[in-house]
Each structure stands twice: as C-alpha cells, then as structure tokens.
Amino acid sequence: MTAGHLVIAPILIPFLAGALMLLYDDRQRRAKLGFGIASTVALLLVAIELLMRSKGDVSGGNDIGFYLLGDWAVPFGIVLVIDRLSAMMLLLTALLAIPTLIYAAAGWHRQGPHFHSLFQFLLMGLNGAFLTGDLFNLFVYFEVLLAASYGLLLHGTGQFRIRAGLHYIAINLAASLLFLIGVSLIYGVTGTLNMAHLARIVPTLAEGDLPLLHTGAAIMGLAFLVKAGIWPLSFWLPTAYMAGAAPVAAMFAIMTKVGIYVILRISMLLFGPSAAGSAGFGAEILIAGGMATILFGLLGVLASQGLGRMAANMILISSGTVLTVTGFALAGGGPEMLAGALYYLVSSTLATGALFLLIEPMSREEGGIAAMLALTADAYGLDEGADDVTGSTLAIPATLTVLGLSFGACLLVLAGLPPLSGFIGKVAMLAPLMAGVTLDPALAWAFLALLLLAGLATLIGLVRTGIQTFWATDGPVPKVLALEIVPVLALIGLMLLMTVLAEDTLRYMQATAEALHAPAIYADGVFAAPRVTEEAAR
Amino acid sequence: MEIVLSLAIGILAASGIWLLLRPRTFQVIVGLCLLSYAVNLFIFSMGRLTLAQPPIMPKGGFVDPELYADPLPQALVLTAIVISFATTALFLVVMMASRGVTGTDHVDGKEREQ
C-alpha cells in the first residue's frame, strides 16, 4: 500500500473540529453539534476506507499503511502505522462516537462548557493511540485522551463526579509516570522507541539485557493494565465510570479497550513466539490477572444495586476476558482464540456503550438524575433558552416496550446468549479451547467455567434490574426522547449486523489474529516505508 | 555521579510515593510533583550520563558519539515536563473544586469520624 495522507486524517479531523469549536462560545451549541456529527461521520468514512485498504483486497494479504511524520526515515522519526488491528479499533471508535454524540444532543451537552470540543479531543487521542507506531508518541496521545477524559468525566459537575474525578485523575497521573519509567527503561536497553524496530531488536538482545527489558515492559504494562482495569488495579473504575454523564460513560466503554489494544499490540510484537529469550513474557500475569478480573467483575455484577455500577462491572468482565485470551495467545494458544476475543471485544464494547446510554432513561422516573441536571443547569446559569431542543422534544410512543427490547438486546449480548453477537463471540473463543489447543487443561477449563459463570451473573444481574424497571413498575411512564433512543437502537443495529455478518467479521478477525502472531509482517511493512524525498528522487 | 543521581531519584520517588498515599489532596499533588521530578531525572539518565557535552552534532562527516550527549532523552524529558505540568495544573483545578464543593481537603471528600 502506498503512503497516503489519509492515514493521518483520523487524528487531524477531530483536532481541527475541536479546535475550531473552541472559537465559539456555548451559545452556538447547535452549530457545534452539527460540526461534531460531521466530523465523526467523516471519521467513520475514513475508518472504513482505511479498513478496506489494510484488508489488502488487492494484494490479498495484510497491507501495512504508514505515514512518516516530517519525512524521517523509519526508525528515527515518528511514524503512524495502520494495520488490520488499528483499522478495526478506528472503526469501532467512530461507530461508538456517532450514536453517543447524537445522544448527547438530547440535553447532556448543555450541562457544562465545551462538551463538544472535549469530545473531539478525546476522539483525537483515541485515534492517535491506535495509529502511532512509536512508544513515546503513544504516551503523548494517551495524555491527550486522558486530559479530554478528565474534562468529560467532570462534565456536569456535582459532588459525586468531582470526588470520582479526583481519584480518577490521581490514579491516571501515577499510571502515566509508570508509563514513562517503562518507556525510558526500554529505550535505555534497546536505543529505540519505534515499535517495529523494537520487534526486530528484541530477539537479538544479549541475555544480560533481557531482565532490564522485561522490567521496563512490565512497568509500562502496569500503566496499561490500570487503564484496562485488571484486578487488583481496577478499584477506581466502577465509581469513575458510573459517575460520568451517560454519553461520557458510553465513550469510556472504549477507553478500557485502549489499554487492552496496547497490551495486545506490544506483547505480540515484542514477546510473541518468535522473540527468542523473551517469548511469552507476561503471559502468566495476563492469564491470572484476567481471570481474577472476570471473577471480580462477576461478583461486582451480583453485588451491585444500581444499574450504573453493574454496567461498569460488565466492562471489567469484558476486559478481563480479552486480557486472559491475550495471555493464552502469548503462551502459544494460537490465533483462533484471539480471533474470537477480538470479535467479543467489538461486540461487548458496543453492548456496554448501549447499556450506559440506556441507564439514564430507565431510571428517569426516580427523579434523581433530573434533579441533579436542574441543579447543574442552575450552577452554570444555563437558561432553558431558545436554543433548547425545541424540534427534538419528540417523545416516542410505547416507551417501555422500546426500552425493554433494547435492554433485552444488551442483556443477550452481554450475557452471551444466542442468537446475538455475544454468543458468537463466546463460542468463537471457547470452541478452539475445547478443541484442545496446547494449553494447560486446568487453566482452559477454569477459563471456560469463569466465562460461563460471568454470563450467568450478567444474566441474573440484568434480569433483576429489568424486572424492577419494566414489570414491577406502576409509576408514570418516563418521557424518553427519540434523540435518546435512536442512538441506542443504532448500536443494537450494529450488534445485529455483526451477528448477521458473523462469518465475514470472524474471517477478518482471524486474519487480524494471524497477523498479530507474525510480528515480521508489521515490522517489515513499516520498514518498507520509503521517504517521500527518496520517492521523488527515484 | 551515578550514585548521586540514583540517590536523588530514589529519595524523590520514595517521598513522592509516601505523599501520594496521604489522605489530603495537597499532599497528593506535591507527591505527584516529586514523583514526576524523579521520573524526569530517570529518563534523563537513560541516555548515558555525560557531563558538559552538547546534544547537537555537526552535520556531515564522521562524528564520535562518545563526545556528545544523547539528544533523544532530552527531547523526551522536555515533552514529559510539559505534559506533567499541564496535567498537574488540571489536577489542581479539580482539587480546588473538590475543596469548594465538599468543604474539606480530604481525598474522600469527608473527614473521618472523630
């Protein structure tokens, strides 16, 4: 694939959109909303195009796209890399962002200043983290997305949010410092920060240097495991996620996946089966930690009283599952399980996102959130003025039915019941496991049991809440805006689409997992990147 | 020189971690600052310890890298300083908001029962 400027577009589009929005104050909220939606739709189109390219329909292989920033030759400058995995994550981000933004238009974006700019900067950080091929650049994008997420978490203020935000920021600042220590240790040992270069250097390192490299990777891994919410580094997560405003929490559903993405990328590149002395480094930790996370999440789901905390614990289950499978893949479990886990990752992200969007309409009649919203609107001096959602105050009919059906779809996906995508994801993960891959059978059975138990706990927890809300209710039916339910239906439509197109999606995931098992594809692809000046000279 | 630098990093990091675990927000923020100083020094030390040598090499011809300091950690430290400065400022704002809303500077937003 030739180098194209399209690769940098997923970073530039939200950056320009967000920066431009800063020039206008919050009275122009309509225009900002339109602009934000235009930007996310553009992101979606770019992501689809990049996905098609990295699928390599032309060459039939794995096409690695690259963008040399400043036209430096490969190991020296910063390089953006797009392969199947990053293209998939870009697409997932855009698919989650559009419904979330539409949902925010129902009123959430009025709860505080600069919601739309912060949202765009969050997208910029996410896309940058998925695209970068350089460890330190990854740190920079992480800080961009974290800074935006601090602002978004505090969006709407209120005492609960500020307290949760304080903990969230302190934890993430400490984790960022760990990240820096790890990066500098790796640089100290290998003399490079480029991931492709690292993948080539690691197998050739002297025996004596390995402990230092492993220490660096472990310390850096800690920072991402905090983000991914592995037990026991996840105690901050449920509170922070349930404290955020609904659209913010829905976007946060992908933030744990950034941590998982980086763990997956770096461990497969650096410590894959071909990495000589350090092959499979960290696999035991990922397996043990991932399983403990599933256990912790499933207990959390059973113990939760509110739906918000329950949804946050489901995020823990989902990240624990993918982390365990990453560990299995590192330990030589083969690409089949990893393909299933990638499918599961996408479908569970969409489902938790939809669930977070559903929480607020479902618990509206209790008045807690409405009262809080009125309070924050008061604190900011936001008037219920002319630019309010006059055209969109359309309340949908048969509210409870639509809400109930959406909730049921989320439940089916998260619990992994047929016929929706959650079931396919779990089968795709478990079938290779049952077929007897080269794993410790005790571990494999433990994982199987945990995964099924987690599904059961999810089922029990969600059905309990669902009955309370939809059956045993005799209060007035909550007024739900079409603007709030359409995004949820869109996300559920995506899950349905993933179910219908399961074969194609799984084939894509299979090829992605195989490419992850062959780090040479990534490294060679990046090193083949010619500089523009060389191209011109030729 | 190595021992002085490692002592400095160690003491800064230890004090930072201790302060980070304290129950008052002000102590936490000072702890984070100290910890980030330690980390910055650590990054600096990863590009070999050299004294009074320039990081910029002349263009063209052979240069002896022994005579120059590694420029990359310096660039990294610069970026890290800027970023940690910005995030610390953000944390400070949230800390003040927390103090204003809850009326206490305890990290949990409430004093322990006397």
Side-chain angles (χ1 to χ4, degrees), chain A residues 223-498:
Chain A
F224 299 118
L225 289 174
V226 168
K227 283 265 85 210
I230 199 174
W231 185 87
L233 304 173
S234 61
F235 294 112
W236 59 274
L237 192 143
T239 314
Y241 277 44
M242 65 184 277
V248 175
M251 256 343 260
F252 274 27
I254 204 169
M255 300 245 311
T256 48
K257 306 301 185 289
V258 188
I260 294 175
Y261 163 83
V262 178
I263 297 266
L264 186 59
R265 165 76 80 210
I266 292 187
S267 51
M268 291 314 277
L269 267 182
L270 266 56
F271 306 121
S274 58
S278 36
F281 171 72
E284 302 86 2
I285 305 282
L286 284 179
I287 293 173
M291 289 216 221
T293 314
I294 303 178
L295 189 65
F296 183 70
L298 87 87
L299 293 179
V301 167
L302 289 179
S304 303
Q305 292 304 317
L307 191 51
R309 190 169 285 275
M310 207 180 281
N313 279 304
M314 282 167 198
I315 288 197
L316 285 185
I317 294 182
S318 125
S319 66
T321 309
V322 185
L323 285 176
T324 314
V325 178
T326 308
F328 282 149
L330 266 181
E336 280 83 14
M337 273 187 87
L338 194 58
L342 290 175
Y343 184 89
Y344 172 84
L345 182 150
V346 175
S347 97
S348 70
T349 307
L350 293 174
T352 37
L355 192 61
F356 270 118
L357 294 184
L358 269 176
I359 291 172
E360 200 270 337
M362 275 177 63
S363 48
R364 182 164 293 167
E365 68 266 42
E366 287 156 22
I369 294 175
M372 195 185 70
L373 288 188
L375 191 75
T376 51
D378 209 38
Y380 274 101
L382 302 170
D383 50 337
E384 300 289 310
D387 82 316
D388 278 359
V389 278
T390 41
S392 54
T393 39
L394 169 73
I396 54 158
T399 309
L400 274 187
T401 319
V402 178
L403 276 185
L405 285 178
S406 323
F407 185 75
C410 288
L411 186 154
L412 288 181
V413 173
L414 285 170
L417 293 179
L420 288 182
S421 54
F423 176 69
I424 299 173
K426 281 198 180 171
V427 169
M429 262 187 293
L430 293 182
L433 191 71
M434 309 271 274
V437 280
T438 52
L439 286 174
D440 184 5
L443 267 183
W445 285 109
F447 178 61
L448 183 91
L450 264 181
L451 207 55
L452 296 182
L453 272 182
L456 186 65
T458 310
L459 189 68
I460 294 173
L462 285 182
V463 164
R464 201 179 60 192
T465 322
I467 288 176
Q468 275 168 8
T469 318
F470 298 113
W471 261 272
T473 178
D474 47 1
V477 177
K479 192 175 141 224
V480 178
L481 305 181
L483 267 181
E484 290 169 328
I485 203 69
V486 167
V488 177
L489 292 178
L491 287 176
I492 289 169
L494 286 174
M495 291 178 232
L496 280 176
L497 197 67
M498 271 190 80

Side-chain angles (χ1 to χ4, degrees), chain A residues 143 150 163 167 169 184 187, chain B residues 46 70 72 83 90 107-108:
Chain A
E143 289 305 315
Y150 301 154
R163 224 179 326 150
H167 295 177
I169 298 178
S184 48
Y187 177 75
Chain B
M46 276 298 121
D70 190 345
L72 195 77
I83 289 179
L90 211 116
V107 285
D108 282 337

